[in-house]
């Protein structure tokens, strides 16, 4: 009898938890499930993805003070129902453009503009942004391609001691590897007409050799090309345009 009462009480409390909308914005309520989920899952759109969120890494990230629904705007009213009604038109318009590139939750990716509006405008005008927003390409870099999972982003200048001294993907020590993930792909280089040996040539250069030996304050990709506002070397506004190299 006691076990039956306990089971009924558990069911009632669980039902209350998932019916109370004000609790859905609480990160702990999300992490109870998403912290336990392992492996990949198939979404309704047929996309295989991981739904796991490491609570410790998230708590140590630069986004730790944000509620999950600050970015996952479509799930503010219910954690299991995705709704577009009432969302900001700017965010929705961006989400529609990037839905092929970010099929799992394009609204969450577009939501970066809420805090990083100036940077987002720079990205849209960059060579990466033009390929995404004007040419509808899916292999050009957007926020998460460089910065990694938003649940684990750490400050670029330093290490995060709480999660094993992990470095930001765009930190000085990591940036060449991060850029190389795309720029070392032969299919990408051939498609966009740049050399297939960009990273290799950098590594063989004086700067590259000293960099890989642990040298500090050496020129890396972003030193010359910029970051969010990278432009084609044929663009007069690019720092590596022939007339601007002098």
């Amino acid at each position: 009898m006691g076990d039956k009462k306990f089971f009924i009480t558990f069911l009632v409390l669980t039902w209350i938890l998932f019916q109370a909308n004000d609790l859905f914005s609480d990160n702990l309520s999300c992490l109870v499930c998403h912290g336990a989920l392992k492996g990949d899952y198939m979404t309704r759109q047929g996309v295989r993805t991981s739904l796991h969120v490491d609570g410790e890494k998230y708590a140590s990230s630069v986004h730790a003070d944000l509620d999950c629904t600050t970015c996952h705007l479509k799930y503010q009213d219910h954690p299991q129902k995705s709704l577009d009604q009432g969302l900001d038109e700017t965010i929705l318009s961006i989400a529609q453009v990037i839905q092929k590139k970010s099929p799992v939750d394009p609204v969450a990716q577009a939501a970066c503009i809420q805090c990083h509006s100036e940077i987002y405008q720079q990205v849209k005008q960059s060579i990466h942004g033009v390929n995404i927003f004007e040419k509808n390409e899916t292999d050009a870099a957007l926020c998460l391609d460089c910065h990694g999972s938003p649940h684990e982003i750490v400050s670029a200048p330093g290490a995060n001691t709480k999660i094993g001294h992990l470095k930001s993907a765009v930190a000085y020590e990591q940036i060449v590897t991060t850029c190389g993930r795309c720029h070392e792909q032969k299919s990408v280089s051939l498609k966009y007409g740049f050399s297939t040996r960009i990273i290799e040539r950098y590594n063989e250069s004086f700067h590259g050799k000293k960099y890989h030996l642990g040298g500090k304050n050496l020129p890396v990709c972003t030193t010359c090309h910029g970051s969010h506002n990278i432009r084609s070397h044929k663009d007069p506004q690019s720092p590596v345009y022939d007339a601007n190299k002098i």
Side-chain angles (χ1 to χ4, degrees), residues 84-153:
D84 289 340
Q85 294 92 333
L87 296 183
D88 180 82
E89 289 297 325
T90 301
I91 292 175
L92 275 179
S93 64
I94 294 173
Q96 289 171 359
V97 174
I98 66 173
Q99 59 184 345
K100 288 184 179 180
K101 178 173 178 59
S102 183
V104 176
D105 191 353
V107 168
Q109 171 112 276
C112 297
I113 198 173
Q114 294 180 113
C115 298
H116 307 287
S117 59
E118 185 176 340
I119 289 175
Y120 223 113
Q121 295 306 318
Q122 292 179 20
V123 171
K124 289 181 70 175
Q125 295 172 21
S126 73
I127 190 168
H128 295 138
V130 168
N131 283 329
I132 294 170
F133 292 97
E134 296 182 18
K135 299 181 180 180
N136 295 315
E137 300 288 356
T138 59
D139 52 9
L142 197 55
C143 312
L144 308 188
D145 296 298
C146 302
H147 291 278
S149 168
H151 307 121
E152 300 176 12
I153 293 176

Side-chain angles (χ1 to χ4, degrees), residues 127-203:
I127 190 168
H128 295 138
V130 168
N131 283 329
I132 294 170
F133 292 97
E134 296 182 18
K135 299 181 180 180
N136 295 315
E137 300 288 356
T138 59
D139 52 9
L142 197 55
C143 312
L144 308 188
D145 296 298
C146 302
H147 291 278
S149 168
H151 307 121
E152 300 176 12
I153 293 176
V154 294
S155 177
N160 192 325
T161 56
K162 294 183 179 180
I163 50 175
H165 296 278
L166 290 181
K167 288 282 188 179
S168 162
V170 295
Y172 171 79
E173 294 84 356
Q174 304 293 333
I175 192 63
V176 174
T177 299
T178 297
C179 294
R181 285 204 297 264
C182 291
H183 287 272
E184 284 187 311
Q185 291 186 36
K186 187 175 182 179
S187 59
V188 174
S189 61
L190 292 176
K191 177 179 178 179
Y192 292 106
F194 56 79
S195 172
T196 58
R197 300 182 58 205
I198 289 177
I199 303 298
E200 179 184 344
R201 286 173 177 169
Y202 173 78
N203 292 339

